[in-house]
Amino acid sequence: KNQVEQSPQSLIILEGKNCTLQCNYTVSPFSNLRWYKQDTGRGPVSLTIMTFSENTKSNGRYTATLDADTKQSSLHITASQLSDSASYICVVRLQTGANNLFFGTGTRLTVIP
Amino acid sequence: DVKVTQSSRYLVKRTGEKVFLECVQDMDHENMFWYRQDPGLGLRLIYFSYDVKMKEKGDIPEGYSVSREKKERFSLILESASTNQTSMYLCASSLQQGNREQYFGPGTRLTVT
């Protein structure tokens, strides 16, 4: 069964600290994996996309990793800021099919001063 | 700058009412999507459309219908609203080719009383 699981469900960290969010998936055949950031009351916005051949990709203070063998991805946030408080959603795409996106339930990150 | 707009940010309707949620995108995208988002369940696909007048059922189409008369506009219809349709509704659009990133609207928080 194609599934995407994220952990932790929620996380609270102090401003300036680093954190890592996890995404495990069983989706196959895999096409790509995307991390979205969703601010409260807003729609998700793409942070980064990882394809099969990519191990690491950075977008400012956000760094995503992908291990296609173990079907795991992580999103590392460096030197967190209050504006990083949001939900982070992992989305995996199948290679084929019209309805081919599988969404994780997200990690709710709260950065406190 | 890409833009997906939704007709209302907040909506309160009574049980049994007919509800229209409208979504407009200005990116000339072929694909459009309607999701609902509930705590602990993540985003679930209701319907999607890959062309004008075309529609496909997603994972949870029961109780909903859609209309796409123009390329830029995709409407979600609740024929007879029920309390279990209280949710956040998100519209998205994407190209049919390339990495097909989905661009999301700001969402409509619908409450059915």
Side-chain angles (χ1 to χ4, degrees):
Chain A
K1 184 180 178 183
N2 291 311
Q3 281 186 315
V4 178
E5 293 186 353
Q6 292 187 243
S7 62
Q9 202 169 9
S10 63
L11 185 61
I12 300 174
I13 62 172
L14 288 174
E15 186 179 12
K17 297 296 186 182
N18 304 335
C19 67
T20 300
L21 315 180
Q22 298 288 346
C23 174
N24 297 338
Y25 61 93
T26 58
V27 175
S28 182
F30 174 88
S31 176
N32 60 55
L33 182 149
R34 194 182 292 273
W35 284 94
Y36 281 90
K37 178 187 180 188
Q38 184 177 21
D39 292 316
T40 302
R42 298 290 180 182
V45 175
S46 178
L47 288 174
T48 185
I49 180 172
M50 307 287 289
T51 58
F52 189 87
S53 58
E54 294 172 309
N55 298 119
T56 304
K57 186 177 283 188
S58 292
N59 177 3
R61 294 179 297 101
Y62 300 101
T63 299
T65 65
L66 175 67
D67 185 333
D69 292 330
T70 62
K71 299 185 177 179
Q72 295 180 325
S73 177
S74 65
L75 182 69
H76 185 75
I77 304 174
T78 304
S80 61
Q81 299 177 358
L82 298 179
S83 59
D84 292 329
S85 294
S87 289
Y88 293 83
I89 302 170
C90 174
V91 184
V92 182
R93 183 184 290 276
L94 276 172
Q95 287 183 8
T96 58
N99 180 10
N100 62 354
L101 286 184
F102 293 86
F103 290 79
T105 55
T107 292
R108 177 70 203 172
L109 174 67
T110 303
V111 181
I112 58 175
Chain B
D1 196 18
V2 297
K3 201 160 187 181
V4 179
T5 57
Q6 295 184 227
S7 51
S8 304
R9 293 300 308 276
Y10 301 93
L11 209 52
V12 179
K13 295 292 182 179
R14 295 195 181 276
T15 301
E17 279 193 86
K18 191 168 186 176
V19 182
F20 292 89
L21 302 182
E22 293 212 317
C23 175
V24 178
Q25 51 95 3
D26 65 0
M27 297 164 282
D28 202 33
H29 284 172
E30 297 90 356
N31 299 337
M32 296 189 75
F33 307 83
W34 274 107
Y35 295 90
R36 63 177 284 176
Q37 185 177 32
D38 301 287
L41 296 178
L43 277 84
R44 293 179 292 167
L45 182 64
I46 303 171
Y47 268 97
F48 64 102
S49 168
Y50 51 85
D51 201 353
V52 176
K53 297 191 185 295
M54 304 300 288
K55 61 183 179 183
E56 294 283 346
K57 292 181 180 179
D59 300 316
I60 52 164
E62 296 79 18
Y64 304 94
S65 62
V66 291
S67 172
R68 193 163 181 203
E69 297 296 319
K70 293 184 178 181
K71 188 176 185 179
E72 68 270 18
R73 190 179 298 267
F74 193 33
S75 301
L76 180 70
I77 303 149
L78 287 66
E79 294 290 341
S80 178
S82 62
T83 55
N84 62 15
Q85 292 179 310
T86 291
S87 186
M88 168 71 93
Y89 289 87
L90 288 162
C91 174
S93 71
S94 76
L95 290 168
Q96 281 190 352
Q97 303 300 325
N99 70 28
R100 293 180 287 167
E101 175 182 348
Q102 291 198 4
Y103 294 87
F104 286 85
T108 296
R109 172 76 62 186
L110 173 66
T111 302
V112 183
T113 61

